[in-house]
Structures are given as C-alpha cells and as structure tokens.
C-alpha cells in the first residue's frame, strides 16, 4: 500500500465500517463522557455521557511533522494517515482515541523515551490498559516490514534507564506483521464475531489448564480423544432457530458438541464439566446443538409461574420479560445434578431494562431467575476471571 489515496481510503472506510458495526452490535461502545460538542451524536445525559460520532480530522501534515520532531523519529506513512483521517473514541476496540481537543492523546499517553531509544514507536495502549503497543522501526522505510509489538508496562520498571534494544526486545510480544495487518481485522466486517471466537478459544485453553492444575489432565485428554464438534447441518439448524447465536458459543460447539450425557461412542454416554455460573465452584455441562433444539420451548412449558410473576416471594430479575408469549430463550447448559437444580439460558427477549443476549440463571429450591451477564462473551469472561473455580479437587473426582 504505497499510494496515499489507497491509504486514506483504507483508514476512512475501515473506521466508518467499524462505527456502523458498533451501532448495530454494541452501541454502548459509542457512549462517552466529556465529548466535544461537534462530536456529539445525541444529547448529553444527566450522567454526562452521550453518543459520539466520527468527525473528519483537522490534523495537518505540519502538525504531524512537528510531532515527529518532538518524538525524534519518523512515522510510517500509514500511521500519519491513521492520525489525520477521523477524530474518534475507539478505545474499546484497541485503537485509542483522537479528539478535537487532544488529537494525539493516545500516542502521548503511550509515550516512553526508553522504547524510542531502542527503536520502537509507542502509539497505543491495548484496550485493557496493560500493554504499550509499538511499531518496530528497525526496517524503516519499508513499513510493511515494521511489525506491531507490545510490552507489559510493568516490565519497564525493571529496566535501567539506559536499557538497550536487545534487552527490551526480549520482553516484546508480537501483535501483527505490520500496522496494516494490525488494523485489517479490526476494520473488517465481522470484527465482533472474530473477537468472540478468540475469546472462546482462550476459554477452552484455560479450561484445559484448569483440569491439568487440578490433577485431572487425563480426564480432559480422554474426553478430547473421543469428542467431536457439532456438524454443519446441526449448527445450521440451530442458527435458523436462533439467528443471533453468539460466535463464541458456536466456537465451543465446534470444539465439542455437548458434554452432557453425550453419546460420542455407541452405547457409552460421556459427561464432562465444561461451564460454571456466578454460584461459586458449581459446575455445569454444555448441551449439544441437538439438545439445545430439543429443549428450545422447554422453559415456557413449565416456567409460566416465574415469567408471569405469580408469586411475590420468588425473585425474578426485572431485566427478564413478563410476557410468556414473546419468550425466546436458548437453553445451553444444565448443572451437575442433571439440570434439576440449575439451568442456564441465553435470553433473546429481555424486558425494556434488559439486553438481548443476556445470560439467565435458573435455580430451583428456592426458585430464582437471575441475569448473571449481559452477553455470552461476558459470561465466558466471568468464568475465566473466576479462574474456572468450578473445576476443583471436589468436582473432578465425583
């Protein structure tokens, strides 16, 4: 990509596509506080937050030249284009922010002279605020061979001020082969689905480690030796009933088509604890795609008294609808005692205060319906943050 017009189109179209995807898939990412008036796309709420909009950048070539002199290094041309196309708040996407008031805010926050002296150009923090992302300038001016790398900011405290490139390079982690390679998956349509699939794979990897750490690596290995993912036909049928099927759940099903009395071998049923909930150390199974379809209307057939709030002493989350006719739940998990005590659902028909795709946990005796996560991705992240506490010496030995 050597043509300036191509670079501009790549950045402009990519940011616009990402903004549109956020509007449709996760509009909360377009809410920000202290947005300059010209970047506001909605009235400011009582909490000071409002929807922001893309605004063409007023950053000039002279501004970028001045920034290069201040930093002491030349920028790849694509970075200059990135910094001068749109003002935005793409923090949650790992692209930082560039506002009319502070057009180089992200780069200035990431700035570290030690990294610059070692030949790295810090330009962003990662979306979680742990890593400083840099462009390795060693191969400039061939920017297609200048990879994006990252370093844990806490590691920098361990280095002397005069640390050289070799020492810092050993602590760098690869991110992408170039700045364009870094931006392409973020700009591409389906970025959310790609991120969800990666989260699910990270979840599976962490679950494997949890079994290993609890002395049950053999249980995991035996399961993965016989298990297989859901077939394309079963997944297609599931998507027909639930077009909103989360990419992360689909990824789990492609790894293993259920862990709940699943007959992977003729005449032999297999069970494996695969999921948890907000109830500490309480394990759940993953249903197969077929089981999810078989039980799609199950709750509405017996849970009317809960949805319609027939009993005042039974707690039902206000984010759950009270209209049984509109109920659209995907039953994806049963608890360790055959589902009799607890089940998990993806709720595609929330109340006005809920969010489509939220995760509902049902508990019996005493009965309760509670929203435990706003999305399936958030639910998986919760289990990871809780360090897979449902896999422990007590549960894996049962």
């Amino acid at each position: 990509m050597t043509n300036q017009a191509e670079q501009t189109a790549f950045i402009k179209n990519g940011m616009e596509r990402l903004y549109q995807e956020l509007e449709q898939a996760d509009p909360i990412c377009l809410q920000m506080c202290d947005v300059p008036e010209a970047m506001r796309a909605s009235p400011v709420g009582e909490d000071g937050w409002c929807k922001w909009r893309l605004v063409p950048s007023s950053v000039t070539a002279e501004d970028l030249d001045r920034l290069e002199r201040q930093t002491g290094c030349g920028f790849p041309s694509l970075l200059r284009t990135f910094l001068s196309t749109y003002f935005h708040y793409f923090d949650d996407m790992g692209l930082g922010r560039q506002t009319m008031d502070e057009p180089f805010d992200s780069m200035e926050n990431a700035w570290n002279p030690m990294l610059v002296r070692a030949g790295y150009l810090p330009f962003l923090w990662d979306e979680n605020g742990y890593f400083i992302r840099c462009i390795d300038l060693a191969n400039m001016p061939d920017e297609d061979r200048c990879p994006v790398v990252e370093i844990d900011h806490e590691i920098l405290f361990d280095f002397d001020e005069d640390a050289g490139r070799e020492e810092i390079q050993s602590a760098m982690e690869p991110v992408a082969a170039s700045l364009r390679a870094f931006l392409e998956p973020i700009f591409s349509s389906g970025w959310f689905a790609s991120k969800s699939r990666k989260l699910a794979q990270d979840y599976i990897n962490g679950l494997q480690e949890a079994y290993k750490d609890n002395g049950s690596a053999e249980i995991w290995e035996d399961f993965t030796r016989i298990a297989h993912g859901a077939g394309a036909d079963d997944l297609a049928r599931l998507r027909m009933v639930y077009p909103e099927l989360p990419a992360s759940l689909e990824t789990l099903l492609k790894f293993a088509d259920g862990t709940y009395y699943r007959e992977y071998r003729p005449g032999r049923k297999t069970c494996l604890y695969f999921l948890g909930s907000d109830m500490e150390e309480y394990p759940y199974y993953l249903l197969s795609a077929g089981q999810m379809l078989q039980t799609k209307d199950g709750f509405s057939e017996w849970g009317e008294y809960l949805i319609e709030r027939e009993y005042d002493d039974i707690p039902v989350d206000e984010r759950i609808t009270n209209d049984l006719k509109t109920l659209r739940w995907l039953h994806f998990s049963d608890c360790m005692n055959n589902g009799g005590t607890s089940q998990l659902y993806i709720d595609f028909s929330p109340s006005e205060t809920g969010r489509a795709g939220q995760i509902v946990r049902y508990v019996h005796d005493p009965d309760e319906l509670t929203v435990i996560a706003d999305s399936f991705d958030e639910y998986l992240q919760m289990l990871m943050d809780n360090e897979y506490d449902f896999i422990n010496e007590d549960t894996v030995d049962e």
Side-chain angles (χ1 to χ4, degrees):
M1 185 185 294
T2 57
N3 184 289
Q4 180 58 52
E6 292 178 351
Q7 288 189 350
T8 300
F10 172 69
I11 299 295
K12 182 176 183 295
N13 295 338
M15 286 189 174
E16 291 173 357
R17 186 184 302 117
L18 179 58
Y19 188 92
Q20 291 170 1
E21 186 175 3
L22 286 169
E23 278 191 310
Q24 297 174 5
D26 199 358
I28 196 171
C29 291
L30 301 181
Q31 295 288 322
M32 192 59 62
C33 192
D34 297 325
V35 176
E37 185 173 357
M39 292 186 68
R40 297 173 189 167
S42 72
V44 179
E46 293 181 359
D47 56 1
W49 288 66
C50 69
K51 181 180 178 181
W52 61 268
R53 67 185 179 93
L54 291 170
V55 172
S57 176
S58 59
V59 171
T60 65
E62 290 73 20
D63 294 331
L64 293 168
D65 291 342
R66 184 163 50 251
L67 185 62
E68 286 185 347
R69 290 194 296 271
Q70 291 172 356
T71 58
C73 53
F75 297 169
S77 60
L78 186 59
L79 179 61
R80 288 175 64 99
T81 305
F82 175 79
L83 293 171
S84 59
T85 299
Y86 270 127
F87 292 129
H88 62 83
Y89 286 93
F90 283 132
D91 303 66
D92 291 341
M93 279 63 256
L95 296 180
R97 65 173 65 185
Q98 294 170 251
T99 70
M100 305 173 77
D101 299 336
E102 298 179 279
F104 304 123
D105 184 45
S106 292
M107 177 168 280
E108 290 168 353
N109 285 336
W111 192 249
N112 185 289
M114 183 192 307
L115 295 175
V116 175
R117 288 195 298 271
Y120 297 100
L121 174 59
F123 72 109
L124 286 173
W125 284 84
D126 78 301
E127 55 267 39
N128 296 315
Y130 297 126
F131 295 90
I132 298 176
R133 286 181 168 157
C134 310
I135 301 174
D136 186 347
L137 301 176
N139 292 319
M140 281 290 283
D142 186 356
E143 61 186 82
D144 289 337
R145 295 178 57 240
C146 291
V148 174
V149 294
E150 65 183 14
I151 187 169
D152 187 331
H153 74 284
E154 293 186 354
I155 293 178
L156 294 175
F157 297 123
D158 298 332
F159 292 137
D160 295 330
E161 290 186 4
D162 58 351
R165 178 178 172 88
E166 184 174 344
E167 185 177 2
I168 291 176
Q169 187 176 32
S170 66
M172 285 288 182
E173 298 290 338
V175 176
S178 66
L179 179 58
R180 179 176 182 178
F182 168 72
L183 293 173
E184 278 180 333
I186 300 176
F187 285 165
S188 67
S189 179
W191 178 80
F192 276 97
S194 176
K195 187 176 182 181
S196 293
R197 293 187 186 100
K198 182 181 183 304
L199 174 68
Q201 188 58 57
D202 290 343
Y203 176 84
I204 293 168
N205 295 340
L207 183 60
Q208 177 181 2
E209 289 301 310
Y211 270 94
K212 178 180 177 181
D213 292 343
N214 284 278
S216 299
E218 185 176 344
I219 293 176
W220 178 263
E221 291 169 0
D222 286 346
F223 175 76
T224 56
R225 191 176 298 117
I226 64 167
H228 58 74
D233 290 344
D234 284 341
L235 288 173
R237 283 191 288 270
L238 190 61
R239 281 192 295 268
M240 285 183 65
V241 178
Y242 300 105
E244 314 94 326
L245 180 71
S248 45
L249 176 54
E250 182 177 6
T251 300
L252 297 186
L253 289 170
K254 286 182 176 179
F255 171 76
D257 188 23
T259 69
Y260 183 50
Y261 290 97
R262 183 66 167 84
E263 195 170 298
Y264 285 108
R265 294 168 292 187
R268 297 183 61 181
K269 291 183 171 63
T270 299
C271 290
L272 181 89
Y273 295 144
F274 198 84
L275 297 168
S277 76
D278 60 323
M279 296 191 298
E280 186 177 357
E281 300 184 356
Y282 200 72
Y284 289 72
Y285 303 106
L286 172 69
L287 271 60
S288 69
Q291 289 168 331
M292 293 178 192
L293 288 170
Q294 290 168 11
T295 61
K296 71 180 183 67
D297 298 318
F299 192 88
S300 61
E301 292 172 356
W302 61 264
E304 178 179 357
Y305 70 102
L306 291 166
I307 297 301
E308 297 187 346
R309 277 68 163 180
E310 291 184 17
Y311 304 99
D312 293 337
D313 60 340
I314 297 180
V316 177
D317 199 302
E318 65 176 8
R319 290 169 287 182
I320 296 171
T321 184
N322 60 5
D323 185 354
L324 190 67
K325 295 178 182 177
T326 64
L327 198 69
R328 290 187 63 249
W329 284 10
L330 191 164
H331 176 205
F332 69 90
S333 182
D334 279 346
C335 70
M336 59 188 296
N337 60 347
N338 302 330
T341 299
S342 183
Q343 300 172 352
L344 299 176
Y345 299 86
I346 303 178
D347 177 7
F348 297 118
S349 55
S351 71
E352 291 183 358
T353 59
R355 295 188 63 180
Q358 63 192 12
I359 306 304
V360 174
R361 184 222 336 118
Y362 162 72
V363 174
H364 174 61
D365 195 18
D367 285 355
E368 179 183 88
L369 279 179
T370 304
V371 174
I372 63 172
D374 284 342
S375 68
F376 193 80
D377 285 8
E378 185 177 299
Y379 161 72
L380 288 183
Q381 189 64 58
M382 176 186 73
L383 301 183
M384 295 165 72
D385 291 343
N386 291 341
E387 299 181 346
Y388 305 87
D389 62 9
F390 56 93
I391 300 299
N392 53 63
E393 292 181 358
D394 293 331
T395 58
V396 295
D397 286 342
E398 292 182 355

